[in-house]
Amino acid sequence: MEMLTLLCLFSTYLLASSINIEENAGQFFSSGHTNNWAVLVCTSRFWFNYRHVANTLSVYRSVKRLGIPDSHIVLMLADDMACNHRNPKPATVFSHKNMELNVYGDDVEVDYRGYEVTVENFLRVLTGRLPPSTPRSKRLLSDDRSNILIYLTGHGGNGFLKFQDSEEISNVELADAFEQMWQKRRYNELLFIIDTCQGASMYERFYSPNLMALASSQVGEDSLSHQPDLAIGVHLMDRYTFYLLEFLEDIHPASKTNMNDLFKVCPKSHCVSTPGHRTDLFLRDPGSVLVTDFFGSVRKVELTMETINLTGHIKQWEESAADGEPRKETYSYSDQLPVSEIIHQKPKQKDWHPPDGFILGLWTLILLVFFKTYGIKHLKHIF
Amino acid sequence: MRCVFSLLSAEQSQPVCQNASFIMKIIVKRRRGHLAALSIAAVVIMVGVPLWWRTTETYRAWLPVSQIQELSKLQLQLSADVEVVFSRGTVTPEQQKKLPLTQTQDEEHRVDEDTALSYRYETRYRTATVMEEDALNQPTAAEADLSLHTLSESPCGSLVVYVIPESSTLLPQDVDVYIGRRRTAFLRIGAKMRVGRTLEQLLAHMEPRVKQVLQVMSFSHTDITAALSDRVRLSPGNKESIADSMRAFKSSPGYEITFSLLNPDPKSHRLHWDIEGAAQTYIQPLLTKLAPVANFSMDSQTLYYAVLGVSPRFDSSRSTYTLNADSLAHVINPVEARLGSNAASSNPVLNFLLYVPDAHHSPLYIHDRKKQEVPSNAFHSPRWGGIMVYNVNDFYGPEAVFPVDINIDMAKVMGVFLAQLRLLLGVQSSSAPPGFLVAPCGTAGLADWELDRLMWSRSVENVATATTTITSLAQLLDQIGNIVINDNIAEQVSSAVTSLQLAVAELESGNLGFALQYSKEAILASERAFFDPSLLHLLYFPDDQKFAIYIPLFLPMCVPILLSLLKIISDARQKRRDKQAKKD
């Protein structure tokens, strides 16, 4: 009998609190973020790596469509495919065969392009250690209530990712960078997606909280590309990102699809490699995390219930000229680059430097060989 | 000795004296060889190794690590001064004899293992002067507040509570406490409370009310722990406090405020708004008052053909267009892409948008979840800004010639924006306890005690953030041995540590203004040190790579040295064994 009353009381309490939640909360408690950021990086150059640029651009397109504005996206493309000399259809980057979907569009805003995409710049963007002259569009200005999506694609191996065919970023460096982000509370939650060979090795070393990671292949497996296009002559996309894009095309800003569906994208039958994911560092249950928490930008909204009663009149400007004419401000361009001077200037006088070490060494070698062969008596002819 | 024997066996035919000199030569040669090997080993160990160590170490300037570790255990003490003034009719003559009286109260809270808070309230009790009595005789509470303010001005961070008798007409019937626009409050006590009691009993009875007033006007434990959210990640406790902490911007040295007028239909409406004058008259006083907290810069723009991302629904019962509360979340994104921002600074931006609906979708009202119209017709998004919908269909009749010139009523618009600005900056606190009447903030938009509240929570937030930044920087530099620490970073760290210590000291002694200033300096210095571009750890060398680099350089050099040393040792041992054998 007592158990029954207890149960009744408990259930009424639950009901009351749930109604209360609905009234007060709204979307506040589904996630703790107020803004979204995305860092999309393509790390490989050369025309045959067309698919990596197409991967990144298709994720960029989906993220923009779902609401994240350009000011909150840092897009890094290591090479220019749309205007590449070998592109038979210039100013386009296609992601489906038969050229169905042009992901380049006319409003792509690339923040780091070409040789600016380096390990150093990538780590600087993540940790915020940029020189003070860096413009706002090249910075990741996230705070402790930002959800960040990081997407990397390129060529990788066991524990590293190759940048620009000349340098690598290791998984330890990446984990340290995320830890520094956490120390400075630069993110609320972070979703890390990587589409490279042996991609799962890149998230093995993470140790900061609130990180969720997805990779296109396990250690020892290669991520494969999807389909070549005979007209363009290269593979257009990687399999994992192709199916990810298909999945994202079904998502709209108000959809309630959660992360468990994202984990099922591209099973082994389609992808040939086994996609992996890591959620042990994530505090919330992945089933309660919406895909739009990272890919979209759904704002929390509160209705303004109070206003302030302002009664004073607007003060008139006293600075208007005495004769009644509106003050004319002459506008002029500041600090114009003196192009004509630069074109016609004479070459600068370079200061004389003493000969370099290499030249000195070369001459010493030549002299040594000479004196070895012909004897020291020739010295007086030289000096 | 083995090679001597073999030599001897080879030259068996030689005379004995020749063999002896031969052996002597060999022994001398061997000793020379031993000396050479030993001296090379000595040079390598004593000169080479230190030289290699010094040339491969990175320059690391000295950091005050011990002080940083002290700061990581944060012990904050906040002091507030309260003056409780008894007006005529609230104390009996015997009780009055014991006044003036000063009491100090301490409250300790331990937030987590690294953070401890203690609050100190210094309460001074006294009776009212004649001038104050005159001021309290005013008809309404607002006028009494004003005349009391002209008498004396309380310094920043302190409060004055005037205790008025039950018979006073200053406050309405059901209200016991009135909180004014400056730093005064009126507290009404019942008549039966004072008769037949000693002063101590009276004070003890009043203490809970005074404490409530303090929590509303100065700082409360929930506010301070919310301000410490950088250090302490609290599990979701109070849902209101979560919403509050998510809404207000984090402490930053500067903010940018942008006012945008969105006109989707320039063919029908030609809008005029005196934004410069309105911003100067209505918003600037608030920003001037908030100057000790942060710098503000304002700008404005007009956007044409900017549409909301959501199409409003037609409500035939009221013949208006409506926007539901649920669809508001999708309004902001399409607009935000076109808003733009100041590229030069990295300060957070507050956007205030004024949307005038187009002629075909007028009037447009925002409905809340209960399908009621929202009176302000505005909504705001945490840490972003606010949007207000301004209907202009009343300004013209159906026969008007398009485009119609419309002057926007800036007072109404700025009233809404000012309220949203207060919310977004964290000025508005939770609703007052029952029985409290809070005076509406004046034209400045901010009451003095609200400014004090903000300064308390900002100082604590700054101190918490700066300590975590400095501590994590020290930890980072300790862990990663090959990051170069330049002198300027060490300088910034030292100045941050000094400012932090000063800020904590000023908070203890109750000087709120100085505490906020030092905490701002501490945050600037610590952020500059943490985000210095030179602190990039790019080179990660796993151990096997370190071996791979050093072994080809040092192994060929070390092998002969080691082998010769071993040979010397084995020769010495052999000699000792021979000597033992000879002795025996």
Side-chain angles (χ1 to χ4, degrees):
Chain A
M1 195 52 205
E2 289 151 0
M3 285 296 291
L4 201 61
T5 47
L6 219 67
L7 212 63
C8 283
L9 282 170
F10 191 57
S11 54
T12 44
Y13 165 70
L14 273 179
L15 205 64
S17 64
S18 61
I19 292 174
N20 207 20
I21 286 176
E22 264 204 34
E23 276 183 11
N24 296 346
Q27 307 129 305
F28 265 109
F29 309 118
S30 54
S31 75
H33 74 285
T34 59
N35 53 18
N36 284 84
W37 286 81
V39 179
L40 312 173
V41 184
C42 161
T43 59
S44 36
R45 53 172 40 239
F46 306 129
W47 171 248
F48 52 82
N49 289 323
Y50 183 103
R51 59 191 188 279
H52 297 142
V53 173
N55 287 350
T56 319
L57 283 173
S58 35
V59 175
Y60 170 78
R61 190 182 158 278
S62 310
V63 146
K64 259 180 83 159
R65 185 179 55 84
L66 289 172
I68 304 186
D70 272 314
S71 53
H72 283 225
I73 303 179
V74 178
L75 178 62
M76 303 170 82
L77 296 181
D79 202 357
D80 188 3
M81 296 304 166
C83 301
N84 197 309
H85 301 299
R86 296 168 72 169
N87 193 348
K89 298 267 192 279
T92 59
V93 173
F94 289 109
S95 73
H96 279 214
K97 76 172 163 197
N98 299 329
M99 301 186 224
E100 282 168 19
L101 186 60
N102 173 20
V103 289
Y104 201 63
D106 52 3
D107 59 348
V108 167
E109 199 179 284
V110 182
D111 300 304
Y112 286 85
R113 63 190 69 218
Y115 286 108
E116 289 174 353
V117 178
T118 58
V119 173
E120 179 182 342
N121 281 347
F122 177 58
L123 289 178
R124 282 194 191 279
V125 164
L126 285 184
T127 54
R129 295 206 169 99
L130 289 158
S133 57
T134 318
R136 226 184 151 108
S137 58
K138 282 188 161 171
R139 287 182 190 258
L140 178 65
L141 293 168
S142 55
D143 55 22
D144 64 322
R145 294 273 173 203
S146 307
N147 276 7
I148 307 184
L149 166 73
I150 298 189
Y151 177 82
L152 293 174
T153 183
H155 288 292
N158 190 356
F160 66 92
L161 171 63
K162 188 173 72 156
F163 266 70
Q164 300 268 12
D165 211 28
S166 66
E167 50 182 4
E168 302 160 357
I169 184 172
S170 66
N171 48 2
V172 177
E173 282 177 336
L174 197 58
D176 282 341
F178 286 155
E179 174 63 15
Q180 289 186 49
M181 287 175 79
W182 174 250
Q183 288 285 331
K184 209 58 193 74
R185 299 287 184 267
R186 277 166 69 80
Y187 67 90
N188 176 40
E189 289 166 348
L190 200 145
L191 177 63
F192 175 76
I193 304 184
I194 183 161
D195 188 355
T196 63
C197 304
Q198 308 195 48
S201 64
M202 287 305 281
Y203 61 65
E204 270 172 4
R205 300 292 205 112
F206 290 171
Y207 55 93
S208 315
N210 275 345
L211 294 176
M212 197 191 302
L214 279 151
S216 61
S217 55
Q218 300 291 334
V219 175
E221 284 180 347
D222 286 339
S223 275
L224 302 177
S225 56
H226 186 65
Q227 34 174 217
D229 184 291
L230 296 177
I232 298 184
V234 284
H235 288 259
L236 291 187
M237 272 194 99
D238 280 331
R239 283 176 189 248
Y240 182 74
T241 312
F242 180 80
Y243 289 107
L244 182 69
L245 178 63
E246 260 189 24
F247 173 78
L248 288 175
E249 290 284 315
D250 289 333
I251 309 271
H252 55 91
S255 90
K256 299 283 171 204
T257 328
N258 60 29
M259 280 294 167
N260 283 333
D261 300 322
L262 191 63
F263 294 154
K264 295 199 203 98
V265 161
C266 205
K268 199 172 165 96
S269 54
H270 291 143
C271 252
V272 184
S273 59
T274 321
H277 55 93
R278 179 176 178 181
T279 54
D280 58 321
L281 293 166
F282 205 74
L283 288 179
R284 289 193 289 150
D285 171 42
S288 67
V289 180
L290 301 178
V291 170
T292 50
D293 278 351
F294 289 103
F295 283 90
S297 174
V298 183
R299 298 274 181 181
K300 311 280 191 291
V301 157
E302 279 182 319
L303 298 167
T304 310
M305 289 307 185
E306 296 183 19
T307 63
I308 296 183
N309 212 356
L310 292 172
T311 47
H313 287 294
I314 297 182
K315 283 199 280 262
Q316 295 302 320
W317 274 113
E318 278 104 40
E319 279 97 321
S320 59
D323 50 1
E325 258 182 51
R327 192 167 45 141
K328 264 215 176 92
E329 283 188 18
T330 49
Y331 296 107
S332 62
Y333 288 105
S334 62
D335 291 323
Q336 287 269 51
L337 194 62
V339 175
S340 52
E341 285 177 32
I342 293 174
I343 295 176
H344 298 297
Q345 72 188 1
K346 296 198 179 56
K348 235 185 347 185
Q349 281 251 351
K350 280 206 185 134
D351 301 317
W352 180 81
H353 291 288
D356 214 349
F358 174 69
I359 303 292
L360 275 176
L362 196 61
W363 275 106
T364 315
L365 189 64
I366 293 173
L367 280 172
L368 271 174
V369 170
F370 175 78
F371 286 118
K372 193 85 176 145
T373 31
Y374 296 109
I376 204 89
K377 64 183 190 293
H378 291 274
L379 195 62
K380 65 176 187 294
H381 295 293
I382 308 295
F383 292 104
Chain B
M1 288 313 265
R2 247 181 290 124
C3 50
V4 172
F5 282 137
S6 62
L7 276 168
L8 282 179
S9 59
E11 347 259 335
Q12 268 168 8
S13 50
Q14 297 291 336
V16 180
C17 48
Q18 252 178 320
N19 289 349
S21 68
F22 194 71
I23 290 170
M24 273 305 292
K25 268 192 209 139
I26 287 172
I27 289 174
V28 166
K29 249 190 215 148
R30 183 162 305 130
R31 189 164 299 145
R32 209 180 289 157
H34 286 177
L35 274 176
L38 279 171
S39 56
I40 289 176
V43 164
V44 163
I45 290 175
M46 273 186 282
V47 176
V49 169
L51 196 68
W52 165 70
W53 192 258
R54 290 303 298 279
T55 47
T56 52
E57 82 178 357
T58 48
Y59 177 73
R60 293 168 77 94
W62 177 81
L63 291 177
V65 183
S66 54
Q67 292 180 6
I68 293 174
Q69 273 181 352
E70 262 175 44
L71 280 172
S72 70
K73 304 257 172 212
L74 192 63
Q75 304 259 3
L76 269 184
Q77 183 181 15
L78 303 176
S79 311
D81 287 330
V82 186
E83 224 179 296
V84 179
V85 181
F86 291 101
S87 65
R88 200 183 312 129
T90 47
V91 279
T92 59
E94 318 88 67
Q95 289 169 341
Q96 212 163 349
K97 281 194 207 119
K98 297 206 191 117
L99 294 172
L101 177 66
T102 313
Q103 266 184 1
T104 314
Q105 264 173 326
D106 281 311
E107 228 179 83
E108 302 265 343
H109 290 274
R110 175 150 282 273
V111 183
D112 71 352
E113 64 217 10
D114 284 329
T115 322
L117 291 170
S118 76
Y119 306 124
R120 164 171 290 204
Y121 305 107
E122 270 198 35
T123 327
R124 202 163 70 91
Y125 300 95
R126 66 173 173 86
T127 49
T129 61
V130 178
M131 291 183 289
E132 286 171 345
E133 292 287 348
D134 282 338
L136 285 170
N137 275 334
Q138 304 276 339
T140 63
E143 287 172 20
D145 191 21
L146 189 60
S147 40
L148 280 169
H149 175 68
T150 51
L151 284 177
S152 69
E153 209 170 304
S154 332
C156 185
S158 66
L159 287 180
V160 187
V161 180
Y162 287 95
V163 184
I164 53 180
E166 190 157 336
S167 54
S168 164
T169 50
L170 278 179
L171 306 178
Q173 277 297 76
D174 51 345
V175 170
D176 286 330
V177 181
Y178 172 83
I179 299 184
R181 275 191 203 155
R182 278 103 197 165
R183 297 183 173 105
T184 52
F186 298 133
L187 174 66
R188 179 173 29 211
I189 60 168
K192 52 187 178 296
M193 293 302 139
R194 64 177 171 94
V195 169
R197 299 203 181 193
T198 63
L199 185 64
E200 282 77 21
Q201 285 173 331
L202 176 65
L203 294 182
H205 170 74
M206 274 177 42
E207 194 195 301
R209 287 338 284 278
V210 173
K211 194 155 208 173
Q212 256 186 334
V213 173
L214 265 171
Q215 286 194 338
V216 171
M217 289 179 78
S218 285
F219 49 82
S220 67
H221 185 58
T222 39
D223 288 337
I224 301 292
T225 41
L228 285 173
S229 67
D230 222 28
R231 275 183 77 91
V232 179
R233 264 290 162 146
L234 295 171
S235 53
N238 189 2
K239 294 171 169 115
E240 286 270 336
S241 64
I242 294 181
D244 280 342
S245 74
M246 275 172 65
R247 183 188 309 123
F249 276 88
K250 291 225 78 115
S251 165
S252 157
Y255 296 95
E256 280 179 38
I257 302 180
T258 308
F259 294 102
S260 309
L261 175 63
L262 303 177
N263 189 356
D265 198 7
K267 286 201 281 275
S268 319
H269 304 137
R270 203 181 291 151
L271 300 171
H272 303 279
W273 71 336
D274 184 14
I275 184 63
E276 276 193 57
Q280 273 298 109
T281 319
Y282 300 125
I283 309 283
Q284 191 58 42
L286 172 65
L287 301 184
T288 321
K289 205 158 178 181
L290 282 174
V293 176
N295 296 329
F296 290 90
S297 77
M298 280 197 287
D299 42 47
S300 68
Q301 61 179 344
T302 313
L303 286 174
Y304 295 103
Y305 294 106
V307 290
L308 299 179
V310 191
S311 43
R313 261 188 240 138
F314 186 68
D315 185 1
S316 43
S317 60
R318 291 177 244 216
S319 67
T320 59
Y321 285 88
T322 61
L323 271 178
N324 273 330
D326 295 321
S327 55
L328 289 175
H330 308 295
V331 166
I332 296 180
N333 285 325
V335 184
E336 189 178 1
R338 303 190 51 192
L339 280 179
S341 61
N342 188 357
S345 80
S346 323
N347 286 333
V349 180
L350 286 87
N351 293 299
F352 292 104
L353 274 57
L354 183 63
Y355 179 75
V356 175
D358 50 322
H360 298 292
H361 288 112
S362 283
L364 180 62
Y365 289 105
I366 298 177
H367 283 194
D368 61 11
R369 290 214 161 74
K370 298 193 194 98
K371 305 282 188 265
Q372 298 295 316
E373 270 179 26
V374 175
S376 62
N377 219 15
F379 62 98
H380 57 272
S381 177
R383 297 209 185 171
W384 183 80
I387 301 185
M388 178 181 177
V389 178
Y390 188 81
N391 291 312
V392 294
N393 57 316
D394 298 330
F395 283 78
Y396 53 90
E399 69 286 345
V401 173
F402 289 123
V404 187
D405 277 307
I406 296 172
N407 276 321
I408 297 183
D409 176 16
M410 292 310 290
K412 181 168 152 216
V413 168
M414 283 302 170
V416 172
F417 282 162
L418 204 57
Q420 290 177 339
L421 182 63
R422 280 164 53 97
L423 277 172
L424 288 170
L425 287 174
V427 168
Q428 196 98 352
S429 55
S430 45
S431 55
F436 275 58
L437 176 66
V438 180
C441 55
T443 48
L446 191 68
D448 285 358
W449 56 270
E450 285 177 328
L451 178 62
D452 284 353
R453 267 188 89 94
L454 193 61
M455 284 169 81
W456 284 118
S457 63
R458 281 294 158 100
S459 311
V460 171
E461 193 182 333
N462 287 347
V463 167
T465 314
T467 46
T468 32
T469 307
I470 287 286
T471 317
S472 65
L473 179 64
Q475 210 178 354
L476 171 77
L477 294 175
D478 195 42
Q479 258 179 348
I480 304 176
N482 50 2
I483 282 190
V484 175
I485 306 179
N486 287 326
D487 283 329
N488 67 327
I489 297 174
E491 211 184 285
Q492 294 288 340
V493 171
S494 306
S495 88
V497 167
T498 330
S499 304
L500 271 173
Q501 288 168 339
L502 282 169
V504 172
E506 296 285 357
L507 272 179
E508 251 185 65
S509 51
N511 299 330
L512 191 50
F514 286 120
L516 184 65
Q517 197 187 334
Y518 285 129
S519 69
K520 270 167 55 172
E521 282 171 22
I523 263 213
L524 273 174
S526 64
E527 301 262 313
R528 217 175 284 151
F530 192 92
F531 287 118
D532 193 274
S534 71
L535 282 181
L536 198 65
H537 164 53
L538 270 186
L539 307 169
Y540 169 71
F541 293 127
D543 290 330
D544 48 347
Q545 282 188 21
K546 274 198 197 119
F547 281 127
I549 290 172
Y550 281 128
I551 282 178
L553 290 175
F554 289 134
L555 200 62
M557 183 179 68
C558 286
V559 163
I561 297 176
L562 275 173
L563 284 180
S564 52
L565 282 175
L566 282 174
K567 193 144 170 309
I568 291 171
I569 291 170
S570 69
D571 280 350
R573 211 177 282 152
Q574 190 74 14
K575 220 189 278 176
R576 208 180 300 133
R577 223 176 287 140
D578 285 349
K579 243 188 233 161
Q580 290 284 3
K582 243 194 241 169
K583 271 198 198 141
D584 303 336

